[in-house]
Amino acid sequence: MRISELSDATGVAVHTITYYLRVGLLPPGELTSRTRAEYGPDHVSRVRLIRALVQGAGVSIDGVRQIIDALENPPADKHELFGVAQEAVPAPDGSRAASAEVRAVLTELGWDEVLDNPFVGTLTAAVETARDAGLDLRPEHVVELARAVEGIARIDVGHALQAPSVEHALLLVAAGTVVTDPILAALRRLAQQHVSAEVAAGTGLSAEPRPPSESR
Amino acid sequence: MRISELSDATGVAVHTITYYLRVGLLPPGELTSRTRAEYGPDHVSRVRLIRALVQGAGVSIDGVRQIIDALENPPADKHELFGVAQEAVPAPDGSRAASAEVRAVLTELGWDEVLDNPFVGTLTAAVETARDAGLDLRPEHVVELARAVEGIARIDVGHALQAPSVEHALLLVAAGTVVTDPILAALRRLAQQHVSAEVAAGTGLSAEPRPPSESR
């Protein structure tokens, strides 16, 4: 297909596609004459991926480039996926030193292997931002949230390990985490309304999870 | 304190504070002379809240205004909090019609009371964006994520209902949800590394939660 058809197929303007080509996010089409190039289905998927990362998830062009580099050079072993993916998507504020408090939280969680992860700096900055906003955020609250988030991570890792190929698994981990963050944010607000309605109706659960002995 | 001291106390530039005053996000200081105004501790917290919402969580100036309006006119009953908070923070893509698929997912979850919530449109758009990015996202996957997110919402609602005042509870719900989204995103990546390391070491959990009969 021609570039105008690639634009129609993806809903991305021709000048934006030209920009993706120029900065190397998109491989060149096959030249069919001196002024005409032909694009295929791989170009369609690539343009959709870039658009979702940039517009849907707010990833910078540099971040997109790193995700695409990782997709083009996938690790041999699925267990290396998370390391590669975390290098692929730059952690905002990842160069920050972790606060003693955040280190203590991670140790209490038993997450000792993550202490060198750049997202520890991101977490430290995010905790300070929340407190600056006037939120009385105690370490126990962060621990509580982390335990709930572990359930999400277990779903993420499970899907990645079941993926048909390492390439697909990396797409799930590197791009998928970024692209599904907005899904989780929307679900969180809907779940708040649902849980709040349960509580107001008197059928709600306490803030604690149900004990294991209770029937489900 | 003078405006320069308010700037020092909050790390926000004087011209930015002037802008917040001009658009009415910040109440005027007390005039002590024709050209001089005096600011107090309430101004410090307000400027920190605005900065966290704008810089930390990417909320638009209109969104900040709606959160502040809600904080200044809190509901009488804590159970109305979530309704007020959801009106306060505009849902991105909230005007979109929900897809039949998303409606089916919410019905399967038993979240029937949320069907009119504007974040259903946000969720629909986020699911489509993820698919456009090449993610093979099945409805069962969304249901699985939603059940994990319910654990987070239960923590959110629990904290809001235990807050010392309705004002504080609303800060937790309206601003707190927005401000803690980046904390959850950072925790998700750290938890992925932790769970992945567990799986690689052969001590990992399956993608399913442990059965209730197992000791914790």
Side-chain angles (χ1 to χ4, degrees), chain A residues 48-49 51-52 56 79 82 86 110-111 113-114 117 119-120 123 126-127 129-130 132-135 137 141 144-146 148-150 152-159 161 171-172 176-197 199-200 205-207 212 216, chain B residues 48-49 51-52 56 79 82 86 110-111 113-114 117 119-120 123 126-127 129-130 132-135 137 141 144-146 148-150 152-159 161 171-172 176-197 199-200 205-207 212 216:
Chain A
R48 285 189 176 148
L49 173 63
R51 189 191 50 177
H79 286 307
F82 289 87
Q86 306 218 322
W111 295 7
E113 65 278 75
V114 310
N117 188 309
F119 278 98
V120 175
L123 177 60
V127 166
T129 302
D132 282 351
L135 213 66
L137 187 70
H141 189 167
E144 207 180 8
L145 290 172
V149 170
E150 222 180 298
I152 295 166
R154 206 158 281 139
I155 296 168
D156 294 338
V157 173
H159 279 271
L161 295 179
L171 178 68
L172 274 173
T177 300
V178 171
V179 160
T180 56
D181 274 343
I183 295 181
L184 296 183
L187 285 173
R188 183 183 183 192
R189 283 143 182 88
L190 297 175
Q192 285 176 345
Q193 191 194 343
H194 169 64
V195 172
S196 173
V199 173
L205 312 171
S206 72
R216 291 181 182 207
Chain B
R48 287 191 175 146
L49 172 63
R51 187 190 53 177
H79 286 307
F82 289 87
Q86 306 217 323
W111 295 7
E113 65 276 78
V114 310
N117 187 309
F119 278 98
V120 174
L123 177 61
V127 166
T129 302
D132 281 351
L135 212 66
L137 187 71
H141 189 166
E144 208 179 5
L145 289 172
V149 170
E150 222 180 297
I152 295 166
R154 205 157 283 139
I155 296 169
D156 294 338
V157 173
H159 279 273
L161 295 180
L171 177 69
L172 275 173
T177 300
V178 171
V179 160
T180 56
D181 274 342
I183 295 180
L184 297 182
L187 285 172
R188 183 183 184 193
R189 283 141 183 90
L190 297 175
Q192 286 176 345
Q193 191 194 345
H194 169 65
V195 172
S196 174
V199 173
L205 312 171
S206 73
R216 296 187 180 199

